[in-house]
Amino acid sequence: MSATSYRELLTRVKSEIREVDVNQAQALIGSGAYAIDVREPDETAQGIIPGASAIPRGFLESRIEELIRDREAPIMIYCAVGARSAFAVKSLEELGFTNAVSLAGGFGAWKTAGLPFEMPLSFSPEQTRRYSRHFLLPEVGMKGQRALLDARVLLIGAGGLGSPAGLYLAAAGVGTIGIIDDDVVDDSNLQRQVLHSTERIGTSKVESARLTINALNPDVQVIGHETRLTKENVIEIFSNYDIILDGTDNFASRYLINDACVLLGKPNVHGSIFRFEGQVSVFDSSHGPCYRCLFPDPPPPELAPSCSEAGVLGVLPGVVGILQATEVVKLIIGIGEPLVGRLVHYDALDVTFRNLRVDKDPDCPMCGPGAPTTLDDIVYSDLSCAVPTLSRA
Ligand SMILES: [Zn+2]
């Protein structure tokens, strides 16, 4: 048996697969076919076809099934000149993919034809490994990861809700996490506030959170605000963030956070916990109700004990905070249906999740007609559980 040269092998493989030209490839992508770039990272760094997934040739067989389950899905594979992609199609056919084609002339032909390409989002080798499970989800992919890394999220409180939310947002690669908290770690916090630890008792919560988050993911820039949120500083602080995550345990702060988010047009990912129950919603007054649409009047103080007075099951904020973190990630990437206009009520004892519809109040004092345009005339009590009032001038 005589040895086959590379040229002969390539010619034979090309005769056994289907090739398309750049115009056919463009039409395929336009009709929803998967585009896969099998070049190496140093090549894709020079530009890729918009919408293509980059899977280096050496990883194609091992990764393709995670990206594409449907063996009949149309797939257009390209490389630099159309050789590696020809072998790639041949190999996919052996894996049972029936509708894969190779782009003749590869990315070179695409570029020469003047068709659009984009500079790929660049990730370090460490990031490529760290976020690989995101890259495997077409709905997230490199674009979604880049959006996460570019996002700025503010956690109000590094406590029960802020802890699990902060941990998971950091793990997911949210690039900038602001934390506002003026408290220090107390041993009574450790039953639920998993950002902190026994050795940090007495340390500022912001500093403790920064240490934990950066130990988990050094990509994250943690911005600490060791202060109490007031109507004097809220607008300036919120202005630096895309999304606000409300993890407070008192009504005065909730109304202040809501009102500032309404004025700034920023989404407020709200969570609250009480004993064995939790609530989550996304208040985005430009697309749905705000917190005051739902609760125009705060409950009387005797019916609104704070966490420290009411007690809370230690695992409960884990569930609620991670639901909040999930909403934040969805908002950043732009996937799924956000909890705008809906409130999820979770009962840990019954294990029930109730999805309640909440409507915008046409007469809402904060997002309705004639609502204030500044916080100047709104009175927020300093007492943690006292009732804030909205006085309309
Ligand atoms: Zn409202």
Side-chain angles (χ1 to χ4, degrees), residues 351-372:
V351 203
T352 50
F353 285 90
R354 279 186 301 149
N355 223 309
L356 311 165
R357 214 186 99 169
V358 288
D359 293 317
K360 205 173 171 75
D361 175 3
D363 299 317
C364 173
M366 196 62 215
C367 72

Side-chain angles (χ1 to χ4, degrees), residues 294-367:
L294 214 61
F295 303 109
D297 302 306
E302 65 273 16
L303 293 180
S306 70
C307 232
S308 57
E309 295 158 346
V312 64
L313 190 68
V315 293
L316 179 73
V319 176
V320 174
I322 286 165
L323 285 174
Q324 288 179 274
T326 309
E327 289 308 300
V328 168
V329 167
K330 283 164 57 188
L331 288 173
I332 293 169
I333 301 175
I335 52 172
E337 275 303 312
L339 268 179
V340 174
R342 287 183 294 152
L343 182 134
V344 167
H345 175 270
Y346 168 59
D347 184 320
L349 296 182
D350 294 348
V351 203
T352 50
F353 285 90
R354 279 186 301 149
N355 223 309
L356 311 165
R357 214 186 99 169
V358 288
D359 293 317
K360 205 173 171 75
D361 175 3
D363 299 317
C364 173
M366 196 62 215
C367 72

Side-chain angles (χ1 to χ4, degrees), residues 269-310:
V269 179
H270 167 86
S272 66
I273 45 176
F274 181 70
R275 289 167 51 81
F276 302 98
E277 295 166 41
Q279 294 184 348
V280 185
S281 189
V282 174
F283 297 112
D284 183 349
S285 61
S286 44
H287 300 101
C290 79
Y291 187 72
R292 285 192 196 264
C293 290
L294 214 61
F295 303 109
D297 302 306
E302 65 273 16
L303 293 180
S306 70
C307 232
S308 57
E309 295 158 346

